[in-house]
Amino acid sequence: MCAPELASRLLPLLLSQASPEAPSALSRLQVEGGVDAYYGYNLNRPGSDVNFLPGTGTTARRHDEITVNLASLGVSLAPEPVGFRVLLGFGTGIDVLHRAEPEEDATGPDVWRYVQQASLSFARGPLTLEAGIYPSHIGFESFQSQLNWTYTRSWMGEFSPYYQTGLKGTWRFDERWSAQLHLLNGWQTIGDNNDGKALGTQVAYAGDRLSAAFNTFVGDEGADGDEGLRLFADTVVTLKVTDAVSIAGSADLGRQARPGASAALWYAAGANVRVQVAGPVAMTARAEVYRDRDGLLSGTAQTLVEGTLTLEVKPAEHLVLKAEARHDHSTQNVFDGPARGTQPPLPRQHQTLFVVGAAATF
């Protein structure tokens, strides 16, 4: 049999075998993205035009500007059994996100500046494995503001990881109970700043009205050879009281060893109440207390108290509008004050923000 004749017989056979697979893979492939823009006004009129504390402000970072908080574009393939997700981001929020990345060869804020997620996944039965850069298992709030009840994020969210890098295993016992185990480079870091690794765990329950998760992190966060074992626990509970009213509460407790000094300690608690007023309109109230006893996370030994009121309107399936008023108070002068000509701004113990945000996604 000559080669052309052999090819003419084999090609239809190969196509008949391959064609059922191709639509299946294409049907799992999804493109996603969106734009989250905002205008924020700070009654302090900060001379730096910056809201929040150094290293924070992943939403509404800029004062008296109309700007983009986060523009996202990504592609994903559902794991059947192998999948992936790559999600890039641009804007003031993503600029803050990676600022703590260690500056080393082939890693650092500039290398990973635009990456929200880049991970591979494998699913088989009740087990799912994910490796790479993926969202953190800790906390109540997402990095994408349209997924949150409020527009700005709590101090508990800002001082906890939004992403982590490593290997995650998820085991689903049934439709309600699940557990996770993480092997991580560290606390919201892609590059590793020491020789140690970290472990994370989660036990979660997802019911029709009650959802709860208990999350932990254990790892060495010391730099330059210094030992700094960090122990952290986070609890999140959400209850749908009625079809219109939902409440959520969260509590954090952290401790980190410090060479030549007593261990640093921080703890926090927050509560959220969300009321679906009518159709696409919802109201959310949030209150929070964050105690950074030794200033390890915020840079200053202080207690932060925050209250937020948010009006949300969802006029279309993929469009969310939010108007928000927020007041922050600290036991120290940590918030930027107004400009004073050639003199540096006088810091203040408080700030009040008014923010209007809009997020459109596809």
Side-chain angles (χ1 to χ4, degrees):
M1 184 179 299
C2 65
E5 184 179 356
L6 178 62
S8 65
R9 294 188 179 186
L10 285 178
L11 185 59
L13 179 61
L14 292 173
L15 290 175
S16 67
Q17 296 295 321
S19 57
E21 298 298 326
S24 176
L26 289 175
S27 67
R28 292 187 290 128
L29 191 66
Q30 293 195 5
V31 178
E32 61 182 299
V35 176
D36 169 13
Y38 72 93
Y39 172 79
Y41 190 87
N42 188 333
L43 293 186
N44 283 0
R45 293 179 287 115
S48 63
D49 291 327
V50 172
N51 305 315
F52 302 104
L53 304 182
T56 67
T58 53
T59 47
R61 174 72 173 169
R62 301 289 297 171
H63 159 67
D64 198 20
E65 287 185 12
I66 300 173
T67 188
V68 173
N69 187 69
L70 180 65
S72 300
L73 183 63
V75 61
S76 63
L77 185 71
E80 296 180 8
V82 178
F84 67 87
R85 189 183 188 204
V86 176
L87 185 62
L88 304 180
F90 314 84
T92 60
I94 202 78
D95 181 63
V96 174
L97 187 66
H98 295 306
R99 287 190 180 182
E101 283 292 333
E103 290 272 12
E104 296 182 4
D105 184 54
T107 191
D110 291 337
V111 176
W112 302 107
R113 182 182 184 88
Y114 303 111
V115 178
Q116 289 186 70
Q117 182 172 348
S119 63
L120 297 170
S121 53
F122 173 83
R124 182 63 60 86
L127 176 65
T128 301
L129 299 175
E130 187 170 12
I133 306 166
Y134 53 85
S136 169
H137 66 294
I138 293 170
F140 174 64
E141 295 167 318
S142 166
F143 182 67
Q144 297 178 331
S145 63
Q146 72 271 14
L147 303 179
N148 298 327
W149 291 3
T150 58
Y151 187 78
T152 62
R153 302 186 180 97
S154 64
W155 293 113
M156 298 173 71
E158 293 285 8
F159 293 130
S160 297
Y162 287 118
Y163 67 90
Q164 48 203 21
T165 307
L167 175 63
K168 173 178 69 173
T170 302
W171 184 272
R172 297 196 174 277
F173 298 98
D174 53 36
E175 293 182 355
R176 298 181 184 272
W177 287 95
S178 65
Q180 294 180 7
L181 178 63
H182 302 252
L183 176 62
L184 305 168
N185 281 345
W187 179 275
Q188 188 161 292
T189 182
I190 300 172
D192 206 342
N193 64 340
N194 55 42
D195 296 330
K197 292 293 180 284
L199 291 176
T201 66
Q202 181 186 88
V203 177
Y205 173 83
D208 295 332
R209 291 192 176 272
L210 175 67
S211 297
F214 178 68
N215 309 299
T216 68
F217 176 97
V218 180
D220 184 8
E221 288 301 299
D224 300 325
D226 293 335
E227 293 184 2
L229 181 64
R230 179 172 296 187
L231 306 175
F232 179 80
D234 165 69
T235 303
V236 179
V237 179
T238 304
L239 176 64
K240 189 173 184 179
V241 181
T242 68
D243 290 341
V245 179
S246 298
I247 59 176
S250 51
D252 288 355
L253 175 61
R255 179 187 187 275
Q256 181 168 323
R258 297 184 296 176
S262 60
L265 186 69
W266 67 96
Y267 44 91
N272 298 258
V273 179
R274 178 180 172 89
V275 179
Q276 199 72 34
V277 179
V281 181
M283 293 284 296
T284 297
R286 179 180 67 201
E288 173 194 22
V289 178
Y290 195 100
R291 172 61 173 162
D292 189 6
R293 190 190 69 179
D294 303 280
L296 182 72
L297 298 184
S298 67
T300 303
Q302 63 180 312
T303 298
L304 291 159
V305 180
E306 170 258 320
T308 299
L309 185 63
T310 307
L311 170 66
E312 176 187 302
V313 180
K314 194 172 182 180
E317 182 180 358
H318 297 286
L319 177 63
V320 179
L321 309 176
K322 295 182 181 182
E324 186 166 287
R326 170 179 176 147
H327 182 76
D328 295 280
H329 178 83
S330 172
T331 52
Q332 302 294 328
N333 294 318
V334 294
F335 298 109
D336 199 7
R340 299 191 303 149
T342 59
Q343 299 296 317
L346 288 176
R348 297 182 173 183
Q349 287 185 285
H350 57 83
Q351 69 172 7
T352 300
L353 299 176
F354 296 97
V355 183
V356 177
T361 59
F362 64 88

